[in-house]
Amino acid sequence: MNTKEALYNFCLRLADNNIVLGQRLAEWCSRGPILEEDLAMTNISLDLFGEAESMYEYATTLVNNNSTADHLAFLRSEREYFNNLLVEQPNGDFAQTMMKQVLFSAFAKHLYEALCNSNDETLKGLAAKALKETKYHLRHSSEWIIRFGNGTEESMRRTQFALNELWRFTDDMFVMNEVDEELISMGISFNLNDIQAKWKFTISEIFAEANLQMPEATNIIKGGSKGIHTEHLGHLLCEMQYLQRAHPGATW
Amino acid sequence: MTDEQKLAKFEARILAGEKIEPKDWMPEAYSKTLLRQMSQHAHSEVIGMQPESNWVLRAPSLRAKKILLAKIQDEGGHGLYLYSAAETFGIDRAEMIEQLQTGKAKYSSVFNYPTLNWADIGAIGWLVDGAAIVNQTMLAKCSYGPYSRAMIRICKEEGFHQRQGYEIMAKMMTGTAAQKEMAQDAMNRWWWPALMMFGPHDAESVHTSESMRWKIKVESNDKLRQRFVNRTVEQAHHIGLTVPDANLKYNKETMNWEFSEINWDEFWAVVKGNGPCNHQRMAHHIKYHNEGAWVREAAIAYENKLQQKQKTTV
Ligand SMILES: [Fe+2]
Ligand SMILES: [Fe+2]
């Protein structure tokens, strides 16, 4: 795999994470526990779609096939999506949604921080912009987790349950393959084991403040970066891609 | 001062074009009407999020998805802003929501129609927000300060929504046969509900005369409706859409587009709860409000614990 191919694949991975999580958050639209939170989730969702769009746009410049960001978003099937398994998991209740957000945003924050030192100028710029937004997403979601962990018995129970349910998908974010090998060797991306150590530190602090127990590592599932997903992604894409697939060639 | 003197002074101020502020004296009927209208307006913004959110996950491009999400977010923001403006009457949001859910407070009937294809998102922005602008531009001149200011702020955003909605329709009308069909179908289903948004004829409107004297309303339903029709018909023709009204014709003398009588049986049926989505909209609102109860309780419990901690450490 040459550097360009690796970078293309890596951009898809980043963008796919954002679009899939953005889509999940958009499911909350008109369904939030309070109006302010409805809007906050829409806001995060909008940020993520924006990040996905610019990362797809960059990806299209790395291949010569006249594709657009919309082609990449709406016309690839689940086996061609490289997002992590965590982000495609169903929303569950509000505790699970916020837990998913904390686990992902803490990862994204450390990854973008590292990418701010990338040898690839465009990626560096994209990471710097996304980092700002990601910090806010992490703050927002971790505040809820801490509130829940110190709230009512019910909120504590739901939040611990959320962590236990989602933990199995977290290792998947740090899986490396030939894409990472190539990009690390060129100083474009970085070792995800180092990101994982930082991530672990960040979430441990949040969870300590929220009185949460770290779950046992059982039934760990991986596969996102190879395009091997859980059953949920296909349904998400089916809905998201409906109009583009039903009316090939139409513009909107 | 006697109540009569206060009333005389109040009416004189309104006549002079002054704004009434929350701390000012006002007749009970004035505050009652405004509270009813403002809470209804706030609820409409929030319930209106439902038919639009129905297409958020299926928006056909990244750009369309972002525009739609941002629009719905604006509407929610309008809701928040109007709830706080209504709170100037000493009622809180939780109480208003309870009134909505028990049917004591209403919301705009137009949101009791379903969004059945993507063009409905265009039609809502163009027609429903378009009609709302005509109404809200009038309300920006109303005598109650907080409401008037809310309307000025909100109208700017509604202008964007209207243009973005029209753009969706225009694009689909230059697209494939299927897209054109969807756009015309949406036009056929949303045209009349949009005209109904202005309410009954002036003669049949219970609140009109007093509301006009107190400048809660400054123009009549029929006049506003006519303004909307005049504006919108030409926009429809411009992109090749047919207005679903066989009697539509331009009157050169009055410079108005004349249109058929509205189906008032349908109008009242939807107002009274028998529209296609009345039950669905309310059930949705109640379901998610109830599902969020534990979140609100946890937030309050956490705040209380924080305050307790601060007390003990002081
Ligand atoms: Fe609005
Ligand atoms: Fe609007």
Side-chain angles (χ1 to χ4, degrees):
Chain A
M1 182 173 280
N2 68 34
T3 310
K4 230 180 186 183
E5 285 165 353
L7 186 54
Y8 176 74
N9 186 291
F10 188 71
C11 284
L12 291 185
R13 202 196 286 170
L14 295 178
D16 291 349
N17 270 338
N18 288 326
I19 199 171
V20 169
L21 187 55
Q23 184 79 356
R24 282 291 185 224
L25 284 166
E27 288 175 23
W28 276 100
C29 194
S30 84
R31 294 167 174 80
I34 31 170
L35 189 48
E36 284 82 350
E37 212 41 45
D38 208 302
L39 303 184
M41 283 188 280
T42 311
N43 216 3
I44 298 175
S45 175
L46 263 173
D47 284 346
L48 294 173
F49 286 133
E51 290 166 23
E53 191 174 26
S54 31
M55 288 165 187
Y56 284 139
E57 272 163 8
Y58 183 39
T60 63
T61 66
L62 300 166
V63 285
N64 300 318
N65 61 3
N66 290 326
S67 65
T68 64
D70 279 340
H71 291 146
L72 292 175
F74 294 96
L75 298 174
R76 279 178 305 139
S77 70
E78 50 267 57
R79 287 290 279 112
E80 299 163 293
Y81 258 73
F82 299 110
N83 60 281
N84 296 123
L85 305 180
L86 176 69
V87 294
E88 72 200 36
Q89 297 311 305
N91 283 336
D93 63 11
F94 187 66
Q96 286 180 51
T97 297
M98 286 299 114
M99 180 59 74
K100 197 200 298 170
Q101 192 70 46
V102 164
L103 293 169
F104 175 75
S105 294
F107 156 70
K109 173 183 174 260
H110 291 298
L111 179 62
Y112 292 144
E113 258 166 8
L115 293 174
C116 284
N117 296 308
S118 172
N119 283 338
D120 184 272
E121 284 304 316
T122 309
L123 188 59
K124 194 169 154 176
L126 291 173
K129 185 177 173 285
L131 178 60
K132 263 189 224 155
E133 295 171 341
T134 303
K135 281 182 179 166
Y136 158 72
H137 306 162
L138 178 60
R139 178 156 28 92
H140 184 82
S141 50
S142 60
E143 277 170 5
W144 274 110
I145 294 299
I146 291 165
R147 225 169 263 147
F148 289 153
N150 297 280
T152 60
E153 233 166 84
E154 182 176 9
S155 70
M156 290 180 214
R157 178 175 54 72
R158 285 176 184 265
T159 309
Q160 183 65 56
F161 178 76
L163 179 55
N164 298 348
E165 284 293 294
L166 295 170
W167 190 250
R168 73 191 75 251
F169 303 108
T170 55
D171 272 0
D172 178 60
M173 295 188 288
F174 307 100
V175 172
M176 288 184 282
N177 57 23
E178 64 276 16
V179 171
D180 302 82
E181 264 166 50
E182 172 66 19
L183 297 181
I184 292 168
S185 77
M186 302 302 290
I188 292 173
S189 183
F190 301 89
N191 192 322
L192 295 181
N193 293 329
D194 300 339
I195 307 289
Q196 186 165 22
K198 290 180 182 165
W199 169 82
K200 194 88 186 264
F201 183 78
T202 298
I203 60 162
S204 302
E205 276 193 326
I206 295 165
F207 294 161
E209 227 185 304
N211 308 307
L212 292 168
Q213 304 292 318
M214 280 296 191
E216 277 174 49
T218 57
N219 191 215
I220 296 299
I221 304 166
K222 303 175 196 177
S225 56
K226 278 189 294 188
I228 304 283
H229 292 275
T230 58
E231 290 175 347
H232 306 294
L233 182 67
H235 295 279
L236 181 145
L237 294 182
C238 194
E239 187 169 38
M240 185 172 89
Q241 299 178 338
Y242 151 65
L243 279 170
Q244 289 267 356
R245 300 279 195 183
H247 303 274
T251 51
W252 305 87
Chain B
M1 249 196 294
T2 67
D3 273 2
E4 273 154 44
Q5 286 169 318
K6 283 180 188 163
L7 181 63
K9 195 180 156 208
F10 168 84
E11 293 197 337
R13 286 187 62 196
I14 287 179
L15 205 62
E18 280 178 48
K19 297 284 180 214
I20 305 300
E21 295 301 331
K23 57 178 186 345
D24 298 341
W25 185 89
M26 59 189 90
E28 213 184 298
Y30 179 83
S31 58
K32 235 176 120 182
T33 304
L34 269 162
L35 173 60
R36 182 179 51 76
Q37 204 173 312
M38 288 164 71
S39 80
Q40 175 170 335
H41 195 160
H43 296 323
S44 302
E45 301 281 358
V46 172
I47 297 295
M49 296 166 78
Q50 289 184 32
E52 300 198 289
S53 76
N54 184 39
W55 281 90
V56 155
L57 301 175
R58 293 176 289 174
S61 71
L62 285 163
R63 181 171 176 270
K65 203 186 258 303
K66 288 196 300 179
I67 290 175
L68 178 56
L69 259 183
K71 180 200 192 273
I72 301 174
Q73 195 182 28
D74 285 348
E75 306 301 4
H78 298 167
L80 276 181
Y81 198 55
L82 281 160
Y83 280 129
S84 16
E87 281 177 343
T88 57
F89 292 111
I91 179 175
D92 70 4
R93 201 204 306 176
E95 203 178 327
M96 286 185 260
I97 289 176
E98 198 190 304
Q99 290 177 348
L100 170 69
Q101 295 186 344
T102 55
K104 212 185 137 207
K106 298 224 172 300
Y107 58 89
S108 176
S109 269
V110 78
F111 299 120
N112 290 318
Y113 291 87
T115 48
L116 302 178
N117 80 53
W118 171 250
D120 288 40
I121 296 305
I124 288 187
W126 172 42
L127 300 174
V128 175
D129 287 63
I133 291 170
V134 172
N135 197 34
Q136 290 172 9
T137 308
M138 179 271 291
L139 288 171
K141 296 178 208 142
C142 88
S143 60
Y144 190 56
Y147 197 25
S148 158
R149 288 189 290 274
M151 286 304 103
I152 292 169
R153 194 166 135 175
I154 285 172
C155 271
K156 280 186 202 150
E157 289 179 349
E158 302 296 8
F160 283 111
H161 301 164
Q162 199 258 351
R163 282 195 291 279
Q164 287 158 349
Y166 187 60
E167 189 201 296
I168 289 177
M169 297 304 260
K171 258 195 188 160
M172 289 180 79
M173 288 306 288
T174 59
T176 64
Q179 283 177 302
K180 284 181 196 165
E181 206 177 298
M182 281 188 248
Q184 185 61 54
D185 176 44
M187 176 73 178
N188 296 348
R189 286 181 288 103
W190 287 95
W191 173 255
W192 290 106
L195 295 202
M196 291 178 197
M197 283 172 71
F198 296 94
H201 286 312
D202 303 322
E204 278 134 64
S205 181
V206 252
H207 308 289
T208 294
S209 74
E210 196 172 66
S211 290
M212 297 278 258
R213 192 170 77 243
W214 288 343
K215 291 190 189 163
I216 294 173
K217 251 177 111 52
V218 298
E219 283 178 289
S220 75
N221 294 351
D222 288 325
K223 201 170 160 196
L224 294 169
R225 184 165 22 236
Q226 185 66 58
R227 183 175 302 152
F228 172 73
V229 169
N230 288 353
R231 251 182 222 183
T232 313
V233 165
E234 302 189 357
Q235 293 169 347
H237 291 164
H238 185 68
I239 55 174
L241 280 169
T242 306
V243 176
D245 181 353
N247 299 319
L248 188 79
K249 67 167 190 291
Y250 189 67
N251 182 326
K252 270 187 192 150
E253 261 158 56
T254 60
M255 302 205 312
N256 283 329
W257 280 94
E258 291 171 354
F259 51 95
S260 303
E261 192 55 50
I262 283 171
N263 180 346
W264 295 110
D265 290 341
E266 178 182 329
F267 173 84
W268 288 113
V270 182
V271 169
K272 289 182 178 136
N274 292 315
C277 297
N278 294 61
H279 178 76
Q280 183 189 330
R281 299 289 181 245
M282 214 27 64
H284 177 113
H285 195 273
I286 292 169
K287 176 177 193 275
Y288 293 104
H289 184 73
N290 290 346
E291 280 183 13
W294 72 268
V295 177
R296 299 189 295 274
E297 281 158 21
I300 292 168
Y302 178 67
E303 276 309 308
N304 290 343
K305 280 183 197 173
L306 273 191
Q307 280 176 6
Q308 210 103 67
K309 241 191 216 164
Q310 275 168 349
K311 264 187 210 153
T312 50
T313 49
V314 165

